[in-house]
Amino acid sequence: MRLAVLVASILLLSSGLMAAQAPQAAISNGVIQAKLFLPDPEQGYYRGTRFDWSGVISSLQYKGHEYFGQWFENYDPKIHDAITGPVEEYLTNEAGLGYDETKTGGTFVRIGVGVVRKPEEKAYRRFETYEIVDTGKWGVKKGVDWIEFTHELKDISGYAYVYTKKVRLVQSRPQLALEHALKNTGKREIETRQYNHNFFVIDQQPTGPDFVVKFPFDVRAKEEMKGMAKVGGRLLEYLRELEKGQSAFTDLAGFGTDSRDYDLRIENRKVGAGVRITGDQPLVKLYFWSIQTTLCPEPYIQLKIAPGQTAKWKISYEFYTIPSTSGH
């Protein structure tokens, strides 16, 4: 037992040292304080091939509440989900851009990551880290309350883009905006689904009955959540605290074709902290996933960008407090 604790302590210390060495930046509007990891092919905190490297938020604090942080046990920069904050992934036919028509040894594109090589495999492995052939060109600009990432990429397949993501704290308000622009500079149409995984870790509270997720429509669960959570009316509620190794997840239905349905709230009644997530594009899919250490609504949107055209979209987060049931 002592050896196990010692090994765990060493691993935690090692991951902390690696994180400390990764390029970072901080922004604040006087209401919110946020820390971000910066994309870097050599020393970046996240160097996997699943999620977009830009806008990785390690910490966001509002009125003494922490909304993000490490939710996983084992850290390695190349593990597919060793990442924190409201992070995003792009999928074309549930794979990378150009994956289906690429032969073994050829390349395809992971938007926000780079050009990667296709190994010999039967199907795309979303949770694996592929060999990166070209990380593209990253640029970072920063102000006091904002930071902007630019990623330029070109592949021999004909796909190319200039991708911009601005992480902005709204002046004097408890709001964070993710402002995206994806310009197609290649010869081929870019068609992809984009979603935000939203790895919320609110005051390190365990996922359970203290949490509630609210929707602006009557929501339906497509899968059975095995007595861990229930969906009814406009709420998702937990019936018990999740244990280590358990996960409650389901596809959700009930939303329409109006962007007003991209409006979700997560609240923890014990600590009295909440967040509202809104988007300016209609939902095409809504998935929900949670384990003991994090709960994640995953809203998907559809993008179809012709050569020379630019798609723009925005996701906003409003942080707020509610009466605490703990009496603090």
Side-chain angles (χ1 to χ4, degrees):
M1 181 64 74
R2 289 180 180 178
L3 179 60
V5 172
L6 178 61
V7 170
S9 299
I10 292 172
L11 289 173
L12 188 62
L13 178 61
S14 176
S15 66
L17 290 173
M18 292 175 74
Q21 293 171 356
Q24 301 177 53
I27 56 176
S28 176
N29 62 355
V31 179
I32 291 173
Q33 293 77 40
K35 297 178 181 178
L36 298 92
F37 289 116
L38 308 182
D40 188 294
E42 303 298 328
Q43 291 187 303
Y45 180 82
Y46 181 74
R47 283 170 269 158
T49 55
R50 180 183 178 188
F51 292 109
D52 171 6
W53 287 7
S54 64
V56 180
I57 296 176
S58 61
S59 170
L60 186 146
Q61 296 183 351
Y62 168 66
K63 283 195 172 181
H65 297 290
E66 173 64 75
Y67 283 84
F68 300 111
Q70 184 169 324
W71 56 272
F72 48 88
E73 282 189 280
N74 301 315
Y75 170 71
D76 183 297
K78 295 186 179 180
I79 293 178
H80 76 94
D81 60 358
I83 196 167
T84 62
V87 298
E88 299 171 302
E89 182 181 13
Y90 294 79
L91 292 168
T92 300
N93 298 325
E94 298 301 314
L97 186 62
Y99 177 89
D100 290 342
E101 62 263 31
T102 299
K103 296 180 180 179
T104 298
T107 59
F108 62 99
V109 172
R110 296 298 282 133
I111 296 174
V113 176
V115 177
V116 302
R117 193 175 307 283
K118 182 178 183 178
E120 185 174 350
E121 58 185 0
K122 293 181 179 179
Y124 183 70
R125 294 172 297 158
R126 189 173 172 187
F127 304 141
E128 296 295 323
T129 295
Y130 288 81
E131 176 195 353
I132 302 176
V133 178
D134 181 6
T135 57
K137 181 182 177 183
W138 281 102
V140 179
K141 297 179 180 178
K142 182 186 177 301
V144 174
D145 56 5
W146 61 271
I147 186 164
E148 183 179 87
F149 305 91
T150 303
H151 190 221
E152 298 180 45
L153 191 75
K154 185 176 183 180
D155 184 36
I156 58 172
S157 63
Y159 289 113
Y161 63 77
V162 177
Y163 173 48
T164 303
K165 182 195 289 185
K166 188 172 187 177
V167 180
R168 181 172 61 87
L169 299 176
V170 179
Q171 187 174 14
S172 302
R173 294 184 61 83
Q175 293 181 0
L176 168 77
L178 302 180
E179 298 167 344
H180 308 77
L182 182 58
K183 182 178 182 180
N184 186 345
T185 57
K187 299 177 181 178
R188 305 180 65 180
E189 180 178 74
I190 294 175
E191 186 167 0
T192 185
R193 283 188 174 186
Q194 185 264 12
Y195 76 95
N196 198 308
H197 204 299
N198 290 309
F199 288 110
F200 284 103
V201 182
I202 299 179
D203 288 347
Q204 297 186 325
Q205 292 298 302
T207 301
D210 290 324
F211 278 102
V212 63
V213 186
K214 300 180 177 180
F215 305 86
F217 50 85
D218 290 329
V219 64
R220 303 190 307 276
K222 292 187 178 182
E223 285 89 34
E224 170 60 46
M225 286 189 281
K226 302 174 183 177
M228 291 180 278
K230 66 175 183 178
V231 172
R234 299 189 170 193
L235 299 177
L236 185 153
E237 298 175 285
Y238 288 90
L239 301 175
R240 58 181 174 83
E241 185 177 310
L242 300 191
E243 298 175 8
K244 185 177 179 180
Q246 292 184 324
S247 57
F249 57 88
T250 181
D251 265 302
L252 296 171
F255 56 85
T257 57
D258 195 302
S259 62
R260 285 179 294 185
D261 281 347
Y262 195 141
D263 188 345
L264 317 169
R265 292 174 185 258
I266 297 175
E267 295 176 355
N268 184 284
R269 292 171 284 209
K270 180 180 178 181
V271 299
V275 57
R276 181 185 183 188
I277 313 155
T278 56
D280 62 0
Q281 301 295 312
L283 296 169
V284 294
K285 179 180 177 178
L286 181 57
Y287 191 73
F288 189 86
W289 178 83
S290 57
I291 58 175
Q292 185 185 56
T293 54
T294 184
L295 62 167
C296 315
E298 304 174 27
Y300 286 69
I301 65 170
Q302 185 74 35
L303 300 172
K304 193 172 183 178
I305 314 166
Q309 298 300 304
T310 301
K312 294 183 178 181
W313 70 101
K314 178 180 176 182
I315 303 171
S316 297
Y317 297 81
E318 181 180 358
F319 304 93
Y320 57 93
T321 57
I322 58 175
S324 167
T325 58
S326 68
H328 295 298

